[in-house]
Amino acid sequence: ACACIALVLAAVHCPGASRTINNYNDFMEWYNEVYINGAFNDEDVELGGNITFQDEVKPLGYKEGSACASFNHTFNGNNFVISNLTINGVHDLGLFCAIGDGAVIRDVIFDEDCSIGKQAYFEYSGMVAAKSSGFVTLINVHNKGSVTSTYIGGGLIGQHSNLEVVMTTPTGLTVESCTNSGHINSTDGVGGIAGKIEEGDFVFRNCTNSGNIGESATSYNCGGIVGMARDDTYFIDCTNYGLIQAGTF
């Protein structure tokens, strides 16, 4: 057990503890803490209410002039709704800049007024995270917002890759009961759930896309669930209802 003593009237978070985000102010407190420290605390995070963003923000884990800090814990949305999330202007775009080995993102809804947009070159974009690596799990995550990228974009994850990670255990991405209904558009690697996945074992189970994917003149390697995937990728009871538009090389 972790014992914490608060000497001032401020939130104190112990390593290994759990943090609850009840509102926008709680989220910004967390965001600023991560930005100042350049890393996430050793804690799981859960939502205690719907979160309505009041201003445009940068991704969690982003810090100007530094590599993305990776979130490697559990984020439990408890089926609450994130709305009015707008992120622009940096290289890697998403609620999280990056999520890594051991991360579990579950039970969260991104409303239709959420938007990940393009104001940089060679972006990786996803509503949950621009990039993921190691072994990552997404369960019951639903995106209704739009994701746009000048490179690789997915409704939830931009790109999953372990090329820069030394792992001693099996790695990959497991996505269960997730949906996308937002418009996803990028130039190379466009998917309703993930834009591009490589280096690992991947399972997509009971996932659905109903959003439009790509644009006919500018998008390549498009798919309803995943834009670009390796041979060791399994789709189980997944369905695409969205319009897929792709150009030709």
Side-chain angles (χ1 to χ4, degrees), residues 31-54:
Y31 175 91
N32 290 327
E33 181 180 293
V34 173
Y35 187 89
I36 291 170
N37 295 336
F40 289 92
N41 285 338
D42 182 15
E43 61 187 6
D44 294 332
V45 177
E46 65 176 344
L47 297 186
N50 296 328
I51 308 297
T52 300
F53 282 81
Q54 301 172 13

Side-chain angles (χ1 to χ4, degrees), residues 79-82 105-112 114 127-128 138-145 155-156 176-182 192-193 206-208:
N79 293 309
F80 287 112
V81 178
I82 294 175
I105 312 296
R106 64 177 303 142
D107 301 327
V108 61
I109 302 165
F110 294 89
D111 212 354
E112 59 188 7
C114 294
M127 190 62 71
V128 171
L138 276 65
I139 303 171
N140 195 35
V141 180
H142 307 284
N143 174 52
K144 302 177 182 179
L156 303 184
E176 296 187 7
S177 302
C178 293
T179 66
N180 172 70
S181 59
I193 303 298
N206 194 31
C207 293
T208 302

Side-chain angles (χ1 to χ4, degrees), residues 2 13-19 41-44 73:
C2 174
H13 300 285
C14 301
S18 177
R19 177 193 295 258
N41 285 338
D42 182 15
E43 61 187 6
D44 294 332
H73 296 85

Side-chain angles (χ1 to χ4, degrees), residues 17-126:
S18 177
R19 177 193 295 258
T20 300
I21 306 294
N22 292 306
N23 51 46
Y24 173 73
N25 289 334
D26 287 349
F27 178 90
M28 291 310 299
E29 177 184 303
W30 181 36
Y31 175 91
N32 290 327
E33 181 180 293
V34 173
Y35 187 89
I36 291 170
N37 295 336
F40 289 92
N41 285 338
D42 182 15
E43 61 187 6
D44 294 332
V45 177
E46 65 176 344
L47 297 186
N50 296 328
I51 308 297
T52 300
F53 282 81
Q54 301 172 13
D55 299 291
E56 183 176 310
V57 295
K58 297 293 189 278
L60 277 160
Y62 164 82
K63 188 169 186 176
E64 187 173 359
S66 302
C68 285
S70 182
F71 180 77
N72 299 337
H73 296 85
T74 295
F75 180 89
N76 187 346
N78 286 316
N79 293 309
F80 287 112
V81 178
I82 294 175
S83 60
N84 202 36
L85 172 66
T86 303
I87 300 178
N88 280 303
V90 296
H91 189 272
D92 298 321
L93 299 175
L95 176 65
F96 294 94
C97 189
I99 55 178
D101 191 50
V104 177
I105 312 296
R106 64 177 303 142
D107 301 327
V108 61
I109 302 165
F110 294 89
D111 212 354
E112 59 188 7
D113 57 5
C114 294
S115 175
I116 306 296
K118 60 175 183 180
Q119 290 184 357
Y121 184 65
F122 267 58
E123 294 170 348
Y124 297 85
S125 297

